[in-house]
């Protein structure tokens, strides 16, 4: 998939603090916080940061976190929060290849997840460990 084919969310220079275009996602992941690890949903991702949602109030601004999603681990700092949503600024950028790969996973996530659930159901019915 060519990078140009990915729909980026562009932010104009004067409209906010974002420094890199973001890719909209809705992928499950895990975030490791000072208070422990939490399952999360990665709402969007750029080379330099991410918007994340968790099942409880977001961590305070300035807290460190590690975002883990489909083989990518990115260390960052919480730079904003609102309810259960928060933004991370990564210490080191993720690669463009990782960004493209995650967008491809997102595009096929529903089909992949349905196939996984179908396999688990079949294994359960056949008495295999799930």
């Amino acid at each position: 998939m060519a990078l140009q084919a990915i729909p980026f969310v562009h932010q104009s220079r004067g409209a906010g603090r974002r420094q890199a275009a973001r890719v909209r996602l809705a992928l499950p992941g895990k975030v490791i916080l000072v208070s422990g690890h939490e399952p999360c949903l990665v709402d969007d991702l750029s080379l330099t940061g991410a918007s994340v949602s968790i099942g409880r109030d977001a961590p305070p601004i300035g807290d460190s976190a590690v975002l883990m999603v489909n083989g990518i681990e990115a260390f960052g700092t919480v730079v904003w929060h609102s309810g259960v949503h928060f933004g991370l600024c990564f210490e080191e950028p993720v690669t463009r290849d990782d960004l493209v790969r995650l967008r491809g996973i997102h595009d096929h996530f529903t089909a992949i997840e349905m196939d996984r659930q179908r396999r688990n159901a079949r294994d359960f019915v056949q008495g295999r460990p799930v």
Side-chain angles (χ1 to χ4, degrees):
M1 173 186 285
L3 188 58
Q4 292 77 15
I6 297 175
F8 283 99
V9 180
H10 291 283
Q11 185 80 19
S12 66
R13 267 253 189 253
R17 293 179 296 245
R18 290 185 181 158
Q19 296 176 356
R22 299 205 165 222
V23 175
R24 290 188 195 273
L25 299 173
L27 290 176
K30 179 167 74 169
V31 65
I32 301 172
L33 304 165
V34 173
S35 59
H37 67 275
E38 295 280 333
C40 70
L41 184 67
V42 180
D43 300 314
D44 66 46
L45 183 72
S46 76
L47 299 174
T48 59
S51 174
V52 180
S53 302
I54 57 176
R56 62 176 181 85
D57 285 340
I61 294 172
D63 269 15
S64 296
V66 177
L67 177 64
M68 302 170 74
V69 58
N70 286 347
I72 295 171
E73 292 184 15
F75 179 80
T77 303
V78 177
V79 292
W80 63 266
H81 62 91
S82 176
V84 299
H85 307 284
F86 63 98
L88 285 175
C89 180
F90 299 146
E91 191 170 285
E92 294 188 19
V94 297
T95 67
R96 283 194 180 274
D97 289 344
D98 284 338
L99 210 57
V100 169
R101 185 176 60 80
L102 286 178
R103 181 56 197 212
I105 291 169
H106 168 267
D107 289 346
H108 298 85
F109 182 72
T110 303
I112 292 167
E113 184 62 17
M114 286 185 67
D115 186 51
R116 185 189 67 78
Q117 290 176 0
R118 207 174 286 122
R119 279 194 318 270
N120 286 348
R122 182 179 55 240
D123 289 347
F124 176 78
V125 168
Q126 293 175 351
R128 292 186 218 146
V130 178

